C-alpha cells in the first residue's frame, strides 16, 4: 500500500501553476520572434535556457514548498536579467521584473515576512543590476524589431501579471493550522 500523497498548500500550488505556465510558454517565444520579427530567431533561442530551472520548481515543491515559493520570483528575475541582456533594454523585457516582484508579494504567509522581504530585495537588486550592466544586446536588433518586441513583451508581461492575480486571488497569507477540519 502506498502512502497517501499530501496535497500542497494553496500558496505552493499557486506557485507550481505559475511555474508550469511559464515553462510551457517558453518554447513559444522564439516562434513569436520568428513570426513577428523574422530576424534574431537563433538569438531568441537563448530564452529557453531557463526553462529547465522553471521546470524544476514543481518537482521541488512537494519536498520543499518554501524553496519553490522562493525560487519562482528569483529564477524569474535572473531570467529577466538574462533576457534583457539578450534582447536589450528597448525590448521591454524588464517589464517582467514587475511580475517577479508581484510573485514575491503574494507567495508568502504573514509569518514568512522576512523571507518575503528578502526575496523582494533580491529581486529588486537584480533589477538594479539590469539597469547598470547595460551595453548593447547580444543580437543587433533594428529599431523596428525592438518596437515589435516591446509590443510583444508588454502584452506578455500584462498576461503573466493577470494570471498571477487571478491564480493567487483569495489565498490566505495567514498561517493555517495543519489539521484544520473542512466545513
Amino acid at each position: 500500500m502506498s502512502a497517501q500523497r499530501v496535497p500542497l498548500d494553496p500558496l505552493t500550488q499557486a506557485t507550481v501553476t505559475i511555474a508550469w505556465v511559464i515553462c510551457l510558454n517558453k518554447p513559444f517565444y522564439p516562434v513569436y520572434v520568428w513570426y513577428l520579427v523574422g530576424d534574431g530567431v537563433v538569438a531568441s533561442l537563448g530564452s529557453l535556457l531557463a526553462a529547465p530551472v522553471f521546470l524544476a520548481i514543481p518537482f521541488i515543491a512537494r519536498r520543499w514548498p518554501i524553496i519553490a515559493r522562493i525560487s519562482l520570483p528569483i529564477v524569474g528575475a535572473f531570467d529577466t536579467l538574462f533576457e534583457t541582456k539578450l534582447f536589450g533594454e528597448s525590448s521591454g523585457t524588464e517589464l517582467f521584473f514587475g511580475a517577479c516582484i508581484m510573485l514575491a508579494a503574494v507567495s508568502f504567509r504573514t509569518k514568512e515576512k522576512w523571507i518575503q522581504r528578502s526575496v523582494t530585495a533580491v529581486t529588486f537588486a537584480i533589477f538594479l543590476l539590469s539597469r547598470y550592466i547595460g551595453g548593447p544586446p547580444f543580437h543587433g536588433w533594428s529599431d523596428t524589431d525592438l518596437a515589435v518586441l516591446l509590443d510583444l513583451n508588454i502584452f506578455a508581461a500584462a498576461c503573466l501579471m493577470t494570471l498571477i492575480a487571478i491564480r493567487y486571488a483569495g489565498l490566505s497569507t495567514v498561517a493555517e493550522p495543519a489539521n484544520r477540519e473542512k466545513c
Side-chain angles (χ1 to χ4, degrees), residues 78-151:
F78 277 112
D79 182 43
T80 301
L81 173 69
F82 174 73
E83 292 200 22
T84 299
K85 187 62 182 162
L86 179 65
F87 292 100
E89 292 175 4
S90 299
S91 68
T93 53
E94 286 178 309
L95 292 168
F96 288 97
F97 281 116
C100 297
I101 291 171
M102 187 176 180
L103 283 167
V106 298
S107 296
F108 301 97
R109 292 178 186 82
T110 304
K111 70 177 186 173
E112 299 166 338
K113 68 182 174 189
W114 285 105
I115 296 170
Q116 180 182 37
R117 289 173 179 165
S118 299
V119 169
T120 302
V122 168
T123 302
F124 187 70
I126 296 167
F127 162 73
L128 290 176
L129 180 62
S130 80
R131 302 303 295 162
Y132 292 104
I133 62 171
F138 292 151
H139 179 79
W141 305 95
S142 71
D143 289 341
T144 304
D145 294 346
L146 288 171
V148 172
L149 289 171
L150 177 61
D151 285 344

Side-chain angles (χ1 to χ4, degrees), residues 43-55:
S44 72
L45 291 172
S47 66
L48 298 174
L49 292 174
V53 184
F54 283 110
L55 181 61

Side-chain angles (χ1 to χ4, degrees), residues 10 12 17 25 39 41 44 74 97 100 139 150 160 164 169 171-172:
T12 304
T17 300
N25 276 282
D39 185 34
V41 176
S44 72
I74 300 293
F97 281 116
C100 297
H139 179 79
L150 177 61
L160 180 57
I164 292 166
L171 296 183
S172 175

